[in-house]
Amino acid sequence: MLSEKVGNLLNDQINKEMYSAYLYLDFANFYERKGLDGYANWYDIQAKEEMDHAIGILRYLQDNDYVVTLSAIAKPDKELVNLDDPLKYGLEHEKYVTSLIHNIYGAAYEDKDFRTMKFLDWYVEEQGEEEVNANDLLTKFELFGHDPQSLYSLDNELATRTYTQASILGTSEE
């Protein structure tokens, strides 16, 4: 049985995941305005993945007879000026989301809620991948992004990324 504490934390996480999607759409919009369609594509896909994460949690709560309450999604508050701002904020944000997932996992552990812990295992692994990807993007930009030709190549590389529905929703993710 899902405890009220764990249920509430998961319910709040839906909002955090939707905020992540909103934030990444803002990043995509920034890059689109700068003419970096590949970077915009990368963050568009990130936004879709974050929405998948939210829906996965929503379904889990519904499957466990928890009454989900959706709340307003905050407006992204990051000032984006430099080309690497979204990359820096993105890594910072992924670390924050990881801390949120770990907090929920810890609460489930305290409650001996093994079903929720098993459910969250996917999110724990996913957050590890998200942090690595965000760090890699920032590192590549720091190494090569200040040279126009290299930035063009990085942008083209990011343009090849495609969206696949998250495995938490029943299919595999690239």
Side-chain angles (χ1 to χ4, degrees):
M1 187 76 179
L2 198 60
S3 74
E4 184 177 345
K5 179 180 179 181
V6 171
N8 290 342
L9 287 169
L10 285 166
N11 194 101
D12 289 344
Q13 190 62 29
I14 294 169
N15 183 270
K16 304 293 188 199
E17 298 292 340
M18 293 303 290
Y19 173 80
S20 297
Y22 208 40
L23 180 67
Y24 292 153
L25 285 176
D26 194 41
F27 292 175
N29 186 46
F30 171 78
Y31 282 124
E32 188 69 34
R33 288 192 320 267
K34 297 294 185 184
L36 293 169
D37 298 337
Y39 281 88
N41 175 64
W42 201 88
Y43 278 110
D44 278 340
I45 291 170
Q46 282 301 108
K48 290 174 186 174
E49 288 182 358
E50 299 301 338
M51 287 186 271
D52 285 350
H53 300 169
I55 292 167
I57 295 168
L58 175 93
R59 288 183 182 165
Y60 179 78
L61 288 171
Q62 291 170 335
D63 289 347
N64 284 277
D65 296 324
Y66 181 91
V67 178
V68 175
T69 304
L70 300 177
S71 56
I73 302 167
K75 179 182 176 186
D77 62 351
K78 302 298 183 192
E79 184 179 349
L80 306 176
V81 177
N82 300 309
L83 291 179
D84 61 347
D85 285 345
L87 304 174
K88 290 177 182 176
Y89 293 137
L91 177 57
E92 175 185 290
H93 185 71
E94 289 300 341
K95 289 179 179 181
Y96 168 68
V97 172
T98 297
S99 74
L100 295 172
I101 296 296
H102 288 178
N103 186 47
I104 300 167
Y105 198 98
Y109 178 80
E110 287 175 11
D111 285 354
K112 296 185 179 181
D113 182 351
F114 302 112
R115 184 180 340 162
T116 298
M117 290 166 58
K118 182 170 176 44
F119 168 74
L120 289 172
D121 283 343
W122 184 90
Y123 287 87
V124 170
E125 184 175 333
E126 176 70 7
Q127 279 310 121
E129 292 172 12
E130 297 287 6
E131 284 189 36
V132 167
N133 291 339
N135 189 59
D136 287 351
L137 273 177
L138 181 58
T139 299
K140 285 180 181 181
F141 186 88
E142 288 172 344
L143 289 171
F144 308 112
H146 302 287
D147 170 62
Q149 187 158 349
S150 296
L151 179 60
Y152 179 77
S153 293
L154 288 171
D155 191 56
N156 283 333
E157 178 184 322
L158 296 176
T160 65
R161 184 179 188 205
T162 58
Y163 169 74
T164 304
Q165 191 175 55
S167 63
I168 196 74
L169 297 178
T171 60
S172 61
E173 185 174 1
E174 287 185 5

